[in-house]
Amino acid sequence: MAQIESQIRYVTNTEGETTDVLVPIELWQQLISSINSDNVSGLAWIDEQEPKAQILADLQESVRQAAVGQTFPVSELWDYIEA
């Protein structure tokens, strides 16, 4: 924690009140990454909060699409993920 605090800079107004915080971009990215993912599952926070009914509906739709031949080459799926 001391190492993190040493990287943070505070901005004050003319009265000397702290108004903002400056954080190095690398530290900011690490903080955002840790906030957005669950350490146990590795899933993003938004995925952890998705209702089970929605997960099931998505899975059922995927199975339905596969059954009727609506599939995509893996290379296209990776392109979508990287975007």
Side-chain angles (χ1 to χ4, degrees):
M1 188 56 116
Q3 183 182 13
I4 291 173
E5 288 177 352
S6 70
Q7 296 181 55
I8 297 172
R9 302 290 178 252
Y10 297 93
V11 178
T12 58
N13 61 19
T14 55
E15 289 81 38
E17 300 167 331
T18 302
T19 59
D20 296 286
V21 178
L22 299 175
V23 180
I25 191 71
E26 185 176 315
L27 177 57
W28 177 253
Q29 290 168 337
Q30 290 173 357
L31 290 170
I32 292 301
S33 177
S34 68
I35 290 170
N36 285 334
S37 65
D38 181 274
N39 290 335
V40 176
S41 71
L43 293 174
W45 180 87
I46 192 77
D47 294 328
E48 286 288 346
Q49 303 308 312
E50 187 172 18
K52 289 178 177 52
Q54 183 61 50
I55 295 169
L56 180 58
D58 291 345
L59 178 59
Q60 289 170 330
E61 177 61 17
S62 295
V63 169
R64 185 200 63 76
Q65 288 176 347
V68 297
Q70 293 178 327
T71 60
F72 301 93
V74 172
S75 60
E76 284 184 32
L77 295 174
W78 283 117
D79 289 343
Y80 174 75
I81 290 171
E82 293 174 0

